[in-house]
Amino acid sequence: MMFFTLSAGIEPFVTLTHMDFPQELEDRYGSWLSPESQGDFAYYADICFKSFGDRVKYWVTFNEPNFQVKFGYQAGTFPPSRCSKPFGNCTYGDSEKEPFITAHNIILAHIAAVHIYRTKYQATQGGSIGIVLHCFWYEPISNSVADKLAAERAQSFSINWFLDPIIFGRYPQEMQDILGSILPEFSTTEKQKLKQGLDFIGINHYTSYYVQDCMFSACEPGPGTSKMEGYCAQSSQKNGTPIGEPVRYGDMNKPNSTTESLLHDVERIKYLAGYLDALSTAIRKGADVRGYFVWSLLDNFEWNSGYTIRFGLHHVDYETLRRTPKSSATWYRNLISQHIVKDCKKHYMFCNNVVEY
């Protein structure tokens, strides 16, 4: 598969793991709950670098581990479905401790893989290695200092939970202040390895929320309000008004949608146009953005929804496997073919001098 990808002029970006874990190791020692997972992941990564590094120049250690620990070990809605009340109703688990244990092991597994790549392969293979995190954006629901600080805490308990250790060698101060001894500690050696532990950061962004402080004022129980989440109540609305258009992919979750309606995805075109316009603006203002991926190329088997939802640029008939471009695919093809990007750095798909559209 990789040979054909390269022969077609497509640069592969390889993700080593996306939330799954071998059942054998889950049964043997509890996967990410055990420090033993760090060594096994490093061994697996080493094999991948050795076997495919001559063709792969971009490696991602983990995709959305901050989602993985939240939904796998706090809410229990993702495998291995571990949680405790009031976060969820699982057979096993501890929602107040296990997310932080698993996150700690994942962070150290990431840095172990990075260390192997940099010391054994990077000089000769000439590639890069990073991590991809899920990133909501949080806006304070009011102009109060408390709500503004709550919005910052929400980021600390989300994407910064993983990025701060990997870049600075420590957890966010807000997490340390609130969680205390619940938060695992890094040894001196681990801190030295952690600092600057990536070459690039991937961001998966889907939506944004308003945030209200729950540390100094009472909040109704809900997403983000607990100590384990930073005392930050999250809402998609403010005074009854949504923070953004609620659903852009109108037919995505409708099992009885017609093929014609799925192919004519005008709302998705609006979304992509607005998103890429904002991204281009950020680049012109100095954001160091090197690439953008549309999710996804094809309708596919989604993590915990199977074939019940569709969001590919191309419609797939699951009976015949026929692929049909949606309106968004045609729009996106025309966009990238009609607008030239000048002065690109080698191997980067996006550059700072972007032609305006």
Side-chain angles (χ1 to χ4, degrees):
M1 177 65 73
M2 195 173 298
F3 170 78
F4 292 114
T5 299
L6 289 168
S7 66
I10 299 173
E11 185 82 62
F13 278 64
V14 172
T15 298
L16 293 173
T17 182
H18 181 184
M19 299 192 186
D20 52 0
F21 201 94
Q23 186 64 48
E24 164 65 21
L25 302 184
E26 172 71 30
D27 295 339
R28 189 186 305 174
Y29 56 70
S31 63
W32 295 115
L33 284 169
S34 169
E36 196 171 346
S37 60
Q38 301 171 31
D40 283 341
F41 182 77
Y43 178 76
Y44 156 66
D46 197 345
I47 291 175
C48 292
F49 300 149
K50 181 179 180 180
S51 302
F52 307 112
D54 59 328
R55 286 152 286 173
V56 176
K57 303 306 175 187
Y58 298 94
W59 294 97
V60 171
T61 55
F62 292 89
N63 182 66
E64 296 186 336
N66 49 342
F67 246 34
Q68 179 180 0
V69 299
K70 179 177 177 62
F71 292 109
Y73 296 89
Q74 188 176 74
T77 54
F78 283 6
S81 300
R82 297 181 65 91
C83 67
S84 60
K85 294 180 179 180
F87 295 91
N89 187 19
C90 303
T91 304
Y92 307 101
D94 185 341
S95 297
E96 296 186 354
K97 292 182 180 180
E98 290 187 358
F100 306 105
I101 295 172
T102 54
H104 197 74
N105 286 323
I106 287 174
I107 291 168
L108 291 175
H110 161 83
I111 205 61
V114 170
H115 181 73
I116 289 172
Y117 187 68
R118 286 181 171 168
T119 56
K120 293 180 63 175
Y121 301 102
Q122 194 167 42
T124 56
Q125 295 179 356
S128 301
I129 188 167
I131 193 170
V132 175
L133 295 163
H134 184 279
C135 181
F136 288 131
W137 181 250
Y138 299 102
E139 287 286 338
I141 200 164
S142 77
N143 288 325
S144 72
V145 173
D147 287 341
K148 290 178 180 179
L149 291 175
E152 294 180 7
R153 286 200 309 276
Q155 289 292 6
S156 291
F157 276 75
S158 180
I159 188 170
N160 295 354
W161 180 3
F162 284 76
L163 280 186
D164 275 24
I166 293 172
I167 296 175
F168 304 118
R170 54 171 172 75
Y171 285 113
Q173 190 61 51
E174 295 92 336
M175 294 189 75
Q176 296 181 48
D177 293 342
I178 292 173
L179 297 176
S181 61
I182 294 175
L183 206 60
E185 295 184 1
F186 296 109
S187 68
T188 302
T189 302
E190 290 168 345
K191 288 179 181 179
Q192 291 304 315
K193 288 184 178 180
L194 278 167
K195 291 182 179 180
Q196 306 299 321
L198 47 74
D199 297 320
F200 63 87
I201 302 167
I203 292 176
N204 293 344
H205 176 250
Y206 298 95
T207 191
S208 301
Y209 289 99
Y210 290 114
V211 172
Q212 176 186 352
D213 170 67
C214 297
M215 183 178 291
F216 301 105
S217 58
C219 294
E220 292 292 327
T225 60
S226 72
K227 173 181 179 179
M228 307 305 149
E229 300 163 293
Y231 298 119
C232 313
Q234 300 171 18
S235 175
S236 59
Q237 297 185 356
K238 178 181 179 180
N239 298 325
T241 302
I243 195 169
E245 193 167 342
V247 178
R248 293 196 179 260
Y249 301 82
D251 294 319
M252 187 177 74
N253 294 311
K254 298 178 182 178
N256 297 321
S257 299
T258 65
T259 300
E260 182 179 357
S261 67
L262 291 170
L263 293 176
H264 191 54
D265 56 347
V266 292
E267 291 300 314
R268 187 178 202 185
I269 294 174
K270 292 179 183 178
Y271 170 81
L272 289 173
Y275 200 101
L276 290 173
D277 181 63
L279 185 62
S280 297
T281 300
I283 292 171
R284 293 188 186 93
K285 289 183 177 180
D288 187 7
V289 180
R290 307 292 179 88
Y292 174 77
F293 295 90
V294 175
W295 183 254
S296 62
L297 175 66
L298 305 168
D299 291 337
N300 59 16
F301 187 87
E302 176 57 13
W303 168 240
N304 62 340
S305 301
Y307 295 110
T308 62
I309 61 176
R310 296 173 177 270
F311 37 68
L313 291 175
H314 295 76
H315 176 274
V316 177
D317 185 319
Y318 294 133
E319 297 295 327
T320 65
L321 299 185
R322 180 183 178 185
R323 303 172 180 180
T324 305
K326 299 177 185 178
S327 298
S328 57
T330 303
W331 176 87
Y332 193 60
R333 179 195 63 196
N334 292 337
L335 175 72
I336 61 178
S337 64
Q338 294 174 4
H339 297 88
I340 301 172
V341 178
K342 300 178 181 179
D343 301 329
C344 285
K345 297 177 182 178
K346 189 177 181 181
H347 297 313
Y348 293 145
M349 298 174 296
F350 236 119
C351 302
N352 291 333
N353 188 8
V354 181
V355 173
E356 198 163 337
Y357 61 89

